[in-house]
Amino acid sequence: MSPPKIKISPLATPACETEATAALRRPVSSLWGVGSERAAQLARLELFTVGDLLLHRPRRYEDRRHFLAIKELQLGVAATTRGKIVALGLKRYRGGQKSVFEIILDDGTTRLHCRWWNLPFMEKYFAVGDDVFVFGKPISLKPRTIDHPETEVMEGGEDSSIHINCIAPIYPLTEGLPQRWLRSLIWRTLAKYEANIVEPWTELNVAAAFKLRGQTQPEGCGYDAQPTRAKAIHMLHFPQELNDTEVARRRLALDEFIELQLAIQTRRKNLQANARGLPCGGDNRLIKPFLKQLGFGLTTAQTKVLRELRKDMSAGVQPMRRLLQGDVGSGKTVVAACCALMALESGFNVALMAPTEILAEQHYQNFRRWFEPLGVRVELQTGNKKTSNIQSDGTHHASRITLHASLLIGTHALIESGFSIDNLGLVIIDEQHKFGVTQREQLVRKGRYPHLLVMTATPIPRTLGLTLYGDLDVSVIDELPPGRGRIKTFVRAADKLPKVWAFIREKLGEGRQAYVVYPRVEDTGRLGVKAVTLELEKLQKELSPYPVGMVHGRLKVQEKERVMADFRADKIKVLLATSVIEVGVDVSNATVMLIESAEQFGLAQLHQLRGRIGRGAHDSYCILVAAAKTDDAKERLRVLEETIDGFQIAEEDLKLRGPGELLGQQQSGLPRFRFGDLAGDRELIERARNLVAEHLNRSKKFG
Ligand code: ADP
Ligand code: MG
C-alpha cells in the first residue's frame, strides 16, 4: 500500500490556469524542429510539453568564458578545454570484438588525445577540422590524454553565443540527442514562451514577501530578493554568472515547496472544515491511579507534552492532529497511555496502531497490565490474532467493536475495510514513519473526526518534518527519564570480533542479555532464512552454553512471540535478529548490542536499533562491526560513537543519504522535487509553510 504521491505540476496550478499558462502545456512536437524522432527522445527524458522542457534542469554548467589551454590541463583534475581535431581513427582488436576510437586535438599550445573504448559509433560524430569543447579528467600528461570525455562540436551559426563565450548549461541527455541541439531548442523555446510564464502564487503575497525582481538581477542569493519565476527559469538555463544558477534553483524550489504546502494544508483544512473535536479531556479518574502505580514520576518534558495534548483534546475547536516526537526511550508510550486514559475517562474508545505484530503484542501486554486493574478492556487485533471479546455484528464482512470504552490495539488489520470501531475518540499511531499518510487518514476515517496522536521515535530533521507532517502540530519530548545507564558505542573492524565475543560473554556472565543484529541477512526468501539459520548455529557455538534465540521477518507470528516472550523472561540470553527488532522492543536487562556489517545501515536506523539498549540502570554497550575494507563507512559510523542525540544523527543521515533513504521513498509519500533540497532548504520550506498558512487563514476569515 503506497501513499498518494503529491504531484507537483510544473508551471501552473489549476487555480491560476490562464491562456498564457495553457500554452505551456502544448506538446514538444508543436515546436519548430521537433519531429517524431526528436519527440520520442525527449519523451525518454520525460519531457512531453513546452513546460517540461523549460524546467529541464541542467546537470552542470560549463564556464566557457574561462577555459584552460590544453597545456594547462592537470593530471586528474576535471576541466574544460577546446581545440581543433587534427587527426582521428578507430582501432579494432581481439578479432574486432574490442575497439578504441581516438581524436587528437590541437589548440596551438599542445595536443590532447581523447579516447573512447568500445564505442565504435563515436566515429560518426567527429571530423578532422572540427572545433571541439572537451570536459574531463586527464589520466596522463605524456601525451595529454582524457578517456571518455564529454564533448561538444562547435558549429558556426546565429545562436552560437549560447554555446561558447558564456556559461553553458549541460543537460541530461539520452542516446542520439545532441547537447547542442537541445540547448538551442531550449533557447528558442524560452525566447518564444518566456512571456507565458506567470507568477503562480499571486494570491499568496509571495511578491510582497520576497520583493520579486524581473528586470534587474537580484544581488547575491538573499531570501528577500527573489527573481520572478520567468526570470528564474531564464537564469536556470542561461545564467550570467555561476551564482545565478543557485538563485534560480531556490526560486523554483520555493514554488515546489509552496505547492506541496498548499496540498498538505488544504487537505487538513478540508478535513476539519466542519469538525468539532470530541470532548476527550477526561476527569483524571483513571490517570491518577495509573500514575500512582507506575513507580516513577513523569519527566518535565512528558508533563509539558501531556498538557499540550489535554488542551487539544478538551472540548473545543478542532480535533487534535498532533505529532509526538521523542527519541527512543524518552517515554512516549506512557504519554500515549495517559492520552488514551483521558479519552477513556470521557467515555470514548481508543485505537492504537503499531507497525509490526511484535510491537502490537508488546503494547498489548503493557497496556493490559496497566489498564485492566483500572477496569479498562484492552483488545488485540492483528492479521493473525484477535482476542476473543471482539464481536462480529453478524454482517458478512464487517466486524464491529461494541464494547464500551475500551482500548483496541492492532496492526494494519485495524484499517482493513469493513472493520469499524464505535464511538472512537482517539487514534494513536505508533512509529508513524512506517505508515503512509493514506493509512493515517484511513484509520481516522473509522470515526467521526477522532483526535489523532502520531508518535515517532525517528527524529525527523525539521525540514522533513515540515514537509512530511506539515498538517500536524508537533510536540517534542526532549529529555530522557533519569537513572538510565549510559550507552557506550564502539566502532570495530571485523578482525576484532574474537575480542567482542569475549566481552559479550563477560556481560552475559554478569547476568545481562544481548542482541546480535545481522543486516547482512535479508529476512526474506528461502535463501535468506537459511542464512539466518546458519548464523544462529554459529552464534550458538560461539556463545554456548548461553541460550540463543532468533527472530526474523519470516517466522510465524506465534513463533516470534514465543521467542520474544522467552527473551523478556530472561530464558533466552542472546537474541539474534534481523532489523525487525528495530522498533519499540523494550527489554531493560538487555544491555549489549552487536551489529554486524553496520555500514550497510543508515545512521538513523542504527540509532533506532541502539535504542533497544540503555533502557535499564546498567551501562549499555553498542558495538558496530564494520567490514574492514570500508574505511569511509567506518568514519561515517563515528557519528554514533560521538553522540546519542537522534536529531543530530538524523540531520547527518539526511545530508549523507537524502530523504528517500532516510524514510523509505516508497513509504514517505514525499514528492520528487526537481529543485527543492530537503536537506538544505530548511529556511525556504519554513517560509513556504508560513506563506501558505497565512493565506489559508486570510481566506478562512473572508471566505
Ligand atoms: P519510547 O519513547 O521509545 O516509546 P518507552 O515509552 O518505551 O519509550 O519508554 C522506555 C522505558 O522508559 C520504558 O520502560 C518506560 O516504562 C520507562 N519510562 C518512561 N517514562 C519514564 C519516567 N518518567 N521515568 C522513568 N522511566 C520511564
Ligand atoms: Mg515506543
Side-chain angles (χ1 to χ4, degrees), residues 328-329 331-333 359 362-363 430-431 455 457 583-585 612 615:
V328 274
K332 294 183 294 296
T333 318
L359 204 52
Q362 182 182 288
H363 278 317
D430 196 11
E431 306 294 350
M455 301 197 286
V583 281
V585 170
R612 300 308 113 219
R615 298 189 151 234

Side-chain angles (χ1 to χ4, degrees), residues 660-699:
E661 286 284 314
L662 185 61
L663 297 164
Q665 189 77 49
Q666 167 73 10
Q667 286 158 340
S668 72
L670 280 177
R672 255 178 47 219
F673 295 108
R674 283 182 218 226
F675 302 98
D677 169 16
L678 287 173
D681 286 340
R682 170 168 160 182
E683 215 175 328
L684 275 180
I685 293 173
E686 285 180 359
R687 295 196 73 160
R689 183 175 192 250
N690 295 341
L691 277 172
V692 170
E694 282 163 24
H695 164 66
L696 291 180
N697 273 334
R698 267 196 312 274
S699 51

Side-chain angles (χ1 to χ4, degrees), residues 227-246:
T228 59
R229 188 173 170 88
K231 177 77 187 160
I233 288 175
H234 192 106
M235 288 160 81
L236 175 74
H237 297 289
F238 303 103
Q240 298 280 310
E241 297 302 328
L242 280 172
N243 189 33
D244 289 357
T245 62
E246 176 60 8

Side-chain angles (χ1 to χ4, degrees), residues 73-79 136-141 145:
L73 292 176
Q74 287 171 18
L75 196 64
V77 182
K137 241 185 230 179
I139 55 151
S140 151
L141 294 182
T145 308

Side-chain angles (χ1 to χ4, degrees), residues 28-43 181 185:
V28 286
S29 56
S30 70
L31 295 168
W32 184 81
V34 182
S36 61
E37 193 189 339
R38 289 291 187 221
Q41 288 165 341
L42 292 172
W181 181 86
L185 177 69

Side-chain angles (χ1 to χ4, degrees), residues 296-299 302 327-334 481-482 484 586 615:
F296 51 78
L298 297 183
T299 61
Q302 285 170 317
D327 216 336
V328 274
S330 60
K332 294 183 294 296
T333 318
V334 176
R484 294 281 168 86
D586 185 17
R615 298 189 151 234

